């Protein structure tokens, strides 16, 4: 995006890098003039790689316009150094962004483009409000923790590796976290996503993406793995409006120990027939259409509570172009009933839409299944086997 800088930006970045030799300094930005600067970008311009910038209480909305190929971008804090630490006075005290204007017209909070110098951009203790993008990271790596993103178009846009922890994303016009190629190795942990109009997170063509112990409430879609690998584990999704998790993988994806309730669909899988999607130990409930939607993919689905909502527990789509019948392994799940006929009726597959050319050429194998709710821990192999019929 902003990564392809004008030559002058490259030269400036190089100068900052060469000036990084020596002891790290701490710079203070204070609204009342008691610090080194009152404007955040002035501190960024003075800092060297390895330095720390501390931002005091108040709202900081002064920005500088930077020309990149493709346009002019307004940025509150533009980091060319890579290795830089920025710490606010607390997310409830230090606010970055403007209260005025539409979200698409507001400036970006922080841009991390230290791709020439590497290093890690660390950010904590601030609220990014009303920005077009809260943080863009397109060079080096980043570590963001204890921050609040609210009323932004996107909270974080990543094209590198990094970590996001203990952050809150509220009232995003588009999404909380966007990660695209060449992004990779991202950890999102202990974060809260509220009222995201589109998606809590969207990852595209990026390997080893991991979402751990996050909560999603009142988002259109909690999250989307679009041709990615990685994991989603121990997350809670409630009151979502569309699909909970969409998994279209190009590598192994593990969806484990999550709880999803409500929306049209709890989990949707799609992709090629060699998908390595593993859905294990989740609780799925309250869907309007289906608990699990499977489209042209062969996920392994075991040890889940699949509790049918208003229509289907499982629905298969497409599967009309494969030459041979395919079988999806959904054994050893709990369906909320011991009646085999009821479970079969809650599954829409090739048994329900037969046509030698355009019908669904795939079938769900659900027996044996658990006759009782599955415990979180299996104490013995014999006891585990006794739960299935």
């Amino acid at each position: 995006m902003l990564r392809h800088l004008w030559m002058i930006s490259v030269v400036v970045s190089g100068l900052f890098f060469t000036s990084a030799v020596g002891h790290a300094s701490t710079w203070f930005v204070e609204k009342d003039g008691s610090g080194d600067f009152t404007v955040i970008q002035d501190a960024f311009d003075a800092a060297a790689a390895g330095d720390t910038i501390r931002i005091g209480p108040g709202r900081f909305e002064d920005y500088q316009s930077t020309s990149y190929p493709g346009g002019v971008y307004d940025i509150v804090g533009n980091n060319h150094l890579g290795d830089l630490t920025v710490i606010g006075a607390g997310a409830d005290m230090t606010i970055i962004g403007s209260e005025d204007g539409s979200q698409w017209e507001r400036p970006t909070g922080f841009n991390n483009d230290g791709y020439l110098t590497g290093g890690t951009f660390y950010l904590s203790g601030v609220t990014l409000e009303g920005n077009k993008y809260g943080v863009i990271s397109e060079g080096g790596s980043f570590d963001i923790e204890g921050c609040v993103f609210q009323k932004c178009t996107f909270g974080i846009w990543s094209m590198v590796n990094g970590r996001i922890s203990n952050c809150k994303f509220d009232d995003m016009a588009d999404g909380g976290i966007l990660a695209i190629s060449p992004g990779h190795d991202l950890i999102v942990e202990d974060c809260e996503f509220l009222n995201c109009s589109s998606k809590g997170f969207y990852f595209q063509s990026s390997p080893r993406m991991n979402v751990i112990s996050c909560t999603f409430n009142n988002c259109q879609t909690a999250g989307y793995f679009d041709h990615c690998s990685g994991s989603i584990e121990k997350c809670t999704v409630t009151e979502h409006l569309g699909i909970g998790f969409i998994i279209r993988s190009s590598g192994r994806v593990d969806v484990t120990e999550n709880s999803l309730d409500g929306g049209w669909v709890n989990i949707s899988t799609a992709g090629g027939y060699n998908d390595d999607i593993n859905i294990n130990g989740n609780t799925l409930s309250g869907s309007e259409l289906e608990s699990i939607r499977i489209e042209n993919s062969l996920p392994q689905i075991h040890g889940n509570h699949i509790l049918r909502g208003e229509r289907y527990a499982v629905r298969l789509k497409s599967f009309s172009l494969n030459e041979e019948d395919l079988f999806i392994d959904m054994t050893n799940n709990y369906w909320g009933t011991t009646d085999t006929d009821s479970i079969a009726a809650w599954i829409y597959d090739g048994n329900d839409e037969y046509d030698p050319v355009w019908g669904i050429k795939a079938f769900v194998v659900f027996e044996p299944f658990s006759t009782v709710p599955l415990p979180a821990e299996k104490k013995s192999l014999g006891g585990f086997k006794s739960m299935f019929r």
Side-chain angles (χ1 to χ4, degrees), residues 120-136:
T120 299
F121 174 60
Y122 176 83
L123 175 67
S124 71
V126 304
T127 286
L128 293 112
E129 181 179 54
N131 299 286
K132 184 174 181 180
Y133 307 103
V135 175
I136 298 175

Side-chain angles (χ1 to χ4, degrees), residues 267 269 279 290-302 304 306 312-319 322 324-335 340-353 360-369:
I267 297 178
T269 71
I279 300 174
E290 50 259 5
S291 302
I292 301 178
R293 177 181 294 173
I294 303 172
E295 182 174 357
N296 288 341
S297 56
L298 297 175
Q300 298 289 316
I301 304 175
H302 307 293
N304 304 278
I306 305 174
Y312 295 106
V314 181
R315 184 187 177 201
L316 272 53
K317 292 186 64 178
S318 301
F319 290 100
N322 44 292
E324 298 181 356
D325 290 343
L326 300 175
F327 297 90
I328 297 170
D329 187 352
M330 294 188 63
T331 57
N332 300 344
N333 293 290
Y334 174 66
W335 302 82
T340 302
D341 291 338
S342 293
I343 299 173
W346 298 342
I347 297 173
Y348 190 92
D349 61 5
N351 292 307
D352 302 282
E353 188 176 312
I360 298 174
K361 300 177 184 177
F363 303 86
V364 172
V365 178
F366 65 88
E367 293 185 281
F369 59 87

Side-chain angles (χ1 to χ4, degrees), residues 4-34:
H4 304 291
L5 307 179
W6 291 111
M7 182 59 69
I8 186 172
S9 297
V10 174
V11 173
V12 171
S13 297
L15 291 174
F16 278 129
F17 178 64
T18 57
S19 67
V21 179
H23 298 290
S25 299
T26 299
W27 307 88
F28 294 89
V29 182
E30 301 286 351
K31 293 286 290 185
D32 62 7
S34 61

Side-chain angles (χ1 to χ4, degrees), residues 246-249 268-272 275 277 293-297:
I246 303 173
I247 311 297
R248 184 184 294 270
S249 79
S268 174
T269 71
D275 284 352
I277 301 173
R293 177 181 294 173
I294 303 172
E295 182 174 357
N296 288 341
S297 56

Side-chain angles (χ1 to χ4, degrees), residues 6-7 10 31 41 64 92 104 138 150 174 183 236-237 250 260 284 291 301 352-353:
W6 291 111
M7 182 59 69
V10 174
K31 293 286 290 185
Q41 186 59 51
Q64 291 187 7
D92 59 337
W104 291 101
E138 52 184 343
Q150 60 189 24
D174 204 314
T236 300
V237 180
S250 59
L260 297 95
L284 312 178
S291 302
I301 304 175
D352 302 282
E353 188 176 312

